[in-house]
Amino acid sequence: MEKIDRLRHYGLFDAQVPRYTSYPPANHFAPDAGQVQQLNWLRAVPGAAVVSIYIHIPFCRRLCWFCACRTQGTKTRRPVDDYVDVLRKEIASVRATLPAGIRMGRLHLGGGTPTILSARTMQRLLETLFANFKPAETLEFSVEIDPTDASDSVLKTLLAFGMNRASIGVQDFTQKVQAAIGRAQSLEQTRRVVDIVRGAGIGGVNFDLLYGLPHQTTESFAQTLRHVGDLRPDRLAIYGYAHVPWISKRQMLIRTEDLPDNEARLGLAEMTRDVLCDRGYEAIGIDHFAMPDDPLAIAAREGRLRRNFQGYTDDRCAALIGLGASSISRFPHGYVQNQPATSTYLRRIETTGLAGRRGYVMTDHDQLVAMMIEDLMCRFAFREDALREKFPKSEALIRRTAVSLMSRFPDVFFISRGGLKMQPEFRQLVRIVASFIDGFAQAGSSHSSAI
Ligand SMILES: C[S@@+](CC[C@H](N)C(=O)[O-])C[C@H]1O[C@@H](n2cnc3c(N)ncnc32)[C@H](O)[C@@H]1O
Ligand code: SF4
């Protein structure tokens, strides 16, 4: 059977599966792990630990039709300024709950569009943050930047506070595609941000692109990749567009008949990989690329790659603390998500100082499955030896899972030292393989396309 038929046989063109940025996926979080759990887990973070901080800014001046992120449109700064005032209260309250001596190893501002903040508001936010969280010596400070909404002054403020990684939204430079996704953005607007950031001596420039958008063809996307190549980002995340209008209502503005089908999506993904690898990037996981000297590429080569809500990371901090509406915290024993609706989040912080709404307490079995899935997503491997070492009581289950994988996906895996590995030509199946060992996935929920 040809490769494409094998991929079809395993469901690549039909399956809807999670992206596994967490295990269990966030749609399985429940209210029983809310604010009380958040309080206990914050208090239990070891003193002197290095933590990661994620701050969510759920506002955009424009709402792109494809976007599945939690954000809302605003034409004025007022709601953004009010939100930041409350965020500063949450920062102080979370800090007061944590033990003394905590340091910040990572800081990520995401959204929405963090650069919608005025320079003054950004300064107030960062002053409060740095006053509460002492940075570790090697702080990585990254910010999601929409090049059409990032003033010189806000970029200057971010740089003054030590931003050293810029995550720039690009998606696609083709005008016809941009018109069909409600996001006009010129090459010059993008180049301007790259020049400012590079001009300040920042080495970490990331681009986000999407394949599977309306009207995209391999030729048009190859042209976008040529423009991208001229700007030489250090790292790229090239996500498959998740068309989930039943979750993200604004996607109803995208005409389904203009979308490439799943076989065309595979063609786009494969062309992208070939072009970027020819240009010297290393492919990382299912959708990231990085220059060989980028820390993510080094982490991948050294087997230190991790997966979190931003995708792939080399972050090894003890806990990830999410601040702001809908943000998710990850603790050693589970997850807590803040109130998703901005208005409820604001009320909860004003009244109680914390806004945990729902989450998940992980059992030992969940921890085992989480490690299996993270290994698959990051290494395309089922590391029996490493799993046994960490979970010695589950030896029989680990063996049974390896046998089931070999029998369910016979030509996908081969036996390698210490476990199983996926054949490189079948790596696109990794989310389907992960869903096979994910106890929750059997219940059937509606996720995005597997490719
Ligand atoms: C918070 S968003 C964008 C940040 C910034 N506001 C911008 O527009 O440049 C982060 C990234 O998520 C990705 N994204 C958004 N909606 C998506 C979808 N439906 N499917 C896949 N990726 C998506 C996009 O690549 C986007 O750049
Ligand atoms: S892609 Fe960025 S600017 Fe567009 S709606 Fe999403 S978060 Fe806002």
Side-chain angles (χ1 to χ4, degrees):
M1 221 191 278
E2 298 245 340
K3 176 186 158 188
I4 188 123
D5 296 320
R6 302 301 306 163
L7 294 172
R8 185 176 297 111
H9 166 76
Y10 288 122
L12 187 67
F13 305 126
D14 310 310
Q16 295 197 322
V17 281
R19 288 176 177 233
Y20 293 111
T21 51
S22 68
Y23 180 80
N27 58 320
H28 295 288
F29 294 176
D32 55 357
Q35 194 164 327
V36 175
Q37 199 58 259
Q38 180 184 24
L39 192 68
N40 292 338
W41 280 339
L42 283 170
R43 285 183 179 148
V45 172
V50 177
V51 298
S52 294
I53 301 222
Y54 171 80
I55 299 188
H56 192 70
I57 307 291
F59 295 99
C60 298
R61 221 173 299 272
R62 61 171 175 189
L63 284 178
C64 313
W65 305 343
F66 67 88
C67 184
C69 302
R70 267 200 183 272
T71 188
Q72 62 200 71
T74 177
K75 294 283 173 218
T76 67
R77 285 251 168 80
R78 182 69 198 273
V80 185
D81 289 350
D82 291 349
Y83 177 81
V84 169
D85 284 342
V86 174
L87 203 44
R88 291 167 64 220
K89 290 185 185 160
E90 186 187 15
I91 291 170
S93 154
V94 165
R95 179 65 199 87
T97 311
L98 285 162
I102 298 282
R103 281 169 311 140
M104 173 168 63
R106 300 273 168 138
L107 168 60
H108 185 82
L109 307 190
T113 300
T115 46
I116 195 174
L117 269 59
S118 67
R120 218 175 104 74
T121 306
M122 182 64 83
Q123 167 143 2
R124 284 194 358 250
L125 173 62
L126 293 176
E127 274 170 1
T128 303
L129 187 75
F130 281 91
N132 280 279
F133 289 92
K134 193 166 176 268
E137 273 157 37
T138 53
L139 173 72
E140 181 179 295
F141 175 11
S142 51
V143 183
E144 287 172 21
I145 298 174
D146 174 356
T148 69
D149 194 4
S151 66
D152 287 359
S153 56
V154 80
L155 291 173
K156 211 168 134 196
T157 305
L158 288 166
L159 289 163
F161 276 89
M163 174 178 74
N164 49 20
R165 191 161 279 284
S167 192
I168 301 171
V170 171
Q171 325 312 339
D172 190 305
F173 282 124
T174 311
Q175 275 183 10
K176 189 174 178 187
V177 175
Q178 291 191 356
I181 59 171
R183 181 182 172 108
Q185 175 177 329
S186 69
L187 187 55
E188 288 63 39
Q189 285 172 314
T190 310
R191 192 191 304 279
R192 174 189 147 257
V193 174
V194 173
D195 287 349
I196 292 176
V197 171
R198 285 252 163 82
I202 306 294
V205 173
N206 300 9
F207 278 7
D208 285 349
L209 276 84
L210 293 177
Y211 71 83
L213 291 175
H215 302 300
Q216 247 175 5
T217 61
T218 46
E219 292 72 29
S220 75
F221 201 52
Q223 178 63 21
T224 284
L225 292 175
R226 274 193 286 280
H227 291 314
V228 164
D230 294 342
L231 299 172
R232 306 271 329 140
D234 306 274
R235 207 183 276 183
L236 288 141
I238 310 209
Y239 304 113
Y241 165 52
H243 189 61
V244 285
W246 54 93
I247 299 171
S248 193
K249 300 275 180 271
R250 61 184 88 107
Q251 292 183 348
M252 286 181 190
L253 294 165
I254 293 185
R255 287 159 33 116
T256 314
E257 58 271 35
D258 294 338
L259 293 170
D261 65 19
N262 286 340
E263 291 197 28
R265 283 170 70 103
L266 175 65
L268 284 159
E270 292 194 326
M271 179 277 293
T272 299
R273 189 187 181 90
D274 292 346
V275 166
L276 293 177
C277 291
D278 278 355
R279 278 189 169 258
Y281 288 94
E282 290 183 4
I284 291 165
I286 53 169
D287 48 18
H288 282 46
F289 297 86
M291 291 312 274
D293 58 350
D294 183 276
L296 199 67
I298 298 171
R301 284 198 300 276
E302 293 177 353
R304 291 185 288 104
L305 197 63
R306 302 291 311 270
R307 189 133 172 95
N308 73 6
F309 300 104
Q310 269 86 56
Y312 290 99
T313 176
D314 55 345
D315 181 10
R316 299 197 74 81
C317 288
L320 167 67
I321 294 171
L323 301 164
S326 84
S327 67
I328 300 176
S329 298
R330 174 179 174 163
F331 297 98
H333 299 289
Y335 302 93
V336 176
Q337 179 170 27
N338 269 355
Q339 286 285 350
T342 305
S343 53
T344 324
Y345 161 80
L346 297 174
R347 262 202 314 279
R348 287 283 300 280
I349 295 297
E350 292 286 14
T351 49
T352 68
L354 293 178
R357 161 82 177 86
R358 58 191 204 120
Y360 193 87
V361 183
M362 293 183 76
T363 62
D364 287 351
H365 178 74
D366 294 325
Q367 299 273 13
L368 169 65
V369 177
M371 179 170 165
M372 289 176 180
I373 289 184
E374 192 172 16
D375 271 356
L376 282 165
M377 297 298 295
C378 294
R379 301 179 171 87
F380 302 102
F382 185 83
R383 296 185 304 153
E384 261 192 272
D385 281 2
L387 289 161
R388 261 204 305 269
E389 196 181 314
K390 189 137 189 227
F391 300 94
K393 287 191 204 140
S394 305
E395 188 166 350
L397 175 62
I398 294 165
R399 185 83 278 274
R400 266 204 315 278
T401 309
V403 172
S404 312
L405 286 173
M406 281 301 267
S407 78
R408 172 71 184 88
F409 303 99
D411 31 24
V412 172
F413 283 97
F414 62 93
I415 296 171
S416 137
R417 202 154 45 93
L420 309 177
K421 277 218 162 124
M422 288 181 76
Q423 299 282 6
E425 72 264 36
F426 288 124
R427 285 183 173 180
Q428 282 103 344
L429 293 168
V430 70
R431 288 167 57 203
I432 293 178
V433 174
S435 73
F436 176 70
I437 54 178
D438 164 3
F440 292 98
Q442 320 302 338
S445 0
S446 31
H447 294 281
S448 57
S449 145
I451 174 69

